[in-house]
Amino acid sequence: MRTELAGEPLALADAVGEELRGAAPLGVAYSGGVDSALLLALAVRTLGAGNVVALLGVSPSLARSERARAHETAAFIGARVVEIETHEGENPDYVRNGVDRCFFCKDELFTRISDEVVAAHGLAAVAYGENADDARRPDRPGSKAATNHRVLRPLSVAGLTKAQVRLVARALALPVADKPAAPCLASRIPHGEEVTPEKLRQVERAEEVLRELGFSDGRVRHHGDIARIELPTAEIPRAGEEEIRTALDAGVRAAGFRYVVVDLRGIQSGAFTLPLLAVGHRG
């Protein structure tokens, strides 16, 4: 991992470092996305690799490809990974899939960390990768779980926006610096419809098809028999090319869907949650 920084990236990294001092040994709730990866890298930079452990929650809602890439990124950073098996799928409040589903997921993760990991690894603190933009969004119930468990949020406290997170990540040459957001698989299921392992497997298999066909990003929303595919708007026309269209239709139907449609609005962050909160947002 590149460690030499200058200018704005250096100032931002040092600001996060100040929030981390005195927190060793530190556990970082880690998903492999750019936010948690940057936090992990800055924790290693500030505290040393021996004082940091990446805590990766593993459950059916984490795609296998995301799990593998998280390990690769942690290896690049030079951080050790401890996998924590979580069981949010056994919680009826999570399964019912209300707008607060993320709270129960994060609460399960942080509870497992508190009960099983903190003492075993002698951790002084646990932190997670909320950035300053996340802190202002209304559709982040997981932040309440972090507050309840006294989990640190150094990126948002230091004021780093998503753009600044990516800026510092690029300066450190992190392989996920430009990685698109990858919310958990459960986010593809409309609120009010139960989260089940079978639905998660269908979504995972269908999204693997998108990657195999070379789309740079994409989400498959689960609407019963219908798979509603969201793609970057510039790549939507490609989905209509005969060879791609045929392979896309066959692959997604093989994942367990009867109908395959492409949403002309493109990728929509918070597509199921924000409308229920009566908030207009695209990103």
Side-chain angles (χ1 to χ4, degrees):
M1 180 180 71
R2 182 185 300 164
T3 57
E4 294 182 5
L5 297 173
E8 184 180 2
L10 175 60
L12 293 170
D14 285 348
V16 176
E18 285 302 310
E19 297 299 324
L20 292 170
R21 296 193 189 282
L26 178 71
V28 174
Y30 172 68
S31 66
V34 63
D35 297 311
S36 65
L38 178 65
L39 177 58
L40 183 64
L42 294 181
V44 167
R45 175 179 181 267
T46 303
L47 305 174
N51 285 316
V52 179
V53 58
L55 307 174
L56 177 63
V58 176
S59 76
S61 68
L62 177 67
R64 288 167 295 180
S65 60
E66 292 294 321
R67 182 180 181 179
R69 190 167 186 184
H71 277 276
E72 292 168 0
T73 302
F76 175 85
I77 292 169
R80 57 193 170 122
V81 177
V82 172
E83 290 195 343
I84 302 165
E85 187 174 322
T86 61
H87 302 276
E88 60 272 15
E90 298 175 8
N91 183 344
D93 289 323
Y94 172 87
V95 172
R96 69 177 172 80
N97 196 18
V99 294
D100 56 353
R101 181 199 64 243
C102 287
F103 169 82
F104 300 105
C105 181
K106 283 288 192 293
D107 187 64
E108 165 72 3
L109 173 63
F110 294 142
T111 297
R112 295 273 172 189
I113 290 173
S114 298
D115 292 348
E116 302 172 8
V117 181
V118 170
H121 293 272
L123 301 181
V126 175
Y128 87 123
E130 177 188 84
N131 63 55
D133 291 333
D134 291 336
R136 290 189 287 268
R137 286 185 60 151
D139 61 331
R140 291 293 186 268
S143 65
K144 180 181 177 183
T147 299
N148 291 350
H149 289 271
R150 299 182 181 179
V151 175
L152 306 178
R153 49 194 92 198
L155 299 179
S156 64
V157 172
L160 271 71
T161 63
K162 188 72 170 191
Q164 290 173 323
V165 165
R166 293 196 185 278
L167 175 70
V168 181
R170 292 187 196 105
L172 292 172
L174 296 185
V176 294
D178 295 303
K179 180 179 182 291
C184 79
L185 296 174
S187 68
R188 316 299 200 267
I189 302 170
H191 290 300
E193 297 184 12
E194 287 191 351
V195 176
T196 67
E198 176 56 31
K199 290 178 182 178
L200 297 175
R201 284 193 294 269
Q202 285 181 278
V203 170
E204 182 176 9
R205 289 198 298 266
E207 292 190 352
E208 286 174 356
V209 173
L210 300 183
R211 287 190 294 274
E212 290 166 0
L213 290 175
F215 290 101
S216 65
D217 195 7
R219 298 174 190 173
V220 176
R221 306 289 185 180
H222 194 294
H223 296 276
D225 286 344
I226 301 171
R228 177 168 60 86
I229 299 173
E230 296 176 359
L231 298 168
T233 52
E235 297 180 35
I236 290 175
R238 182 169 176 265
E241 296 173 5
E242 184 173 359
E243 183 177 350
I244 299 297
R245 176 177 57 81
T246 300
L248 182 60
D249 179 67
V252 174
R253 284 194 294 110
F257 294 97
R258 187 175 180 184
Y259 304 104
V260 182
V261 301
V262 175
D263 193 321
L264 298 181
R265 293 173 297 177
I267 291 178
Q268 303 148 61
S269 177
F272 288 139
T273 304
L274 288 167
L276 297 180
L277 296 175
V279 175
H281 179 84
R282 286 289 303 275

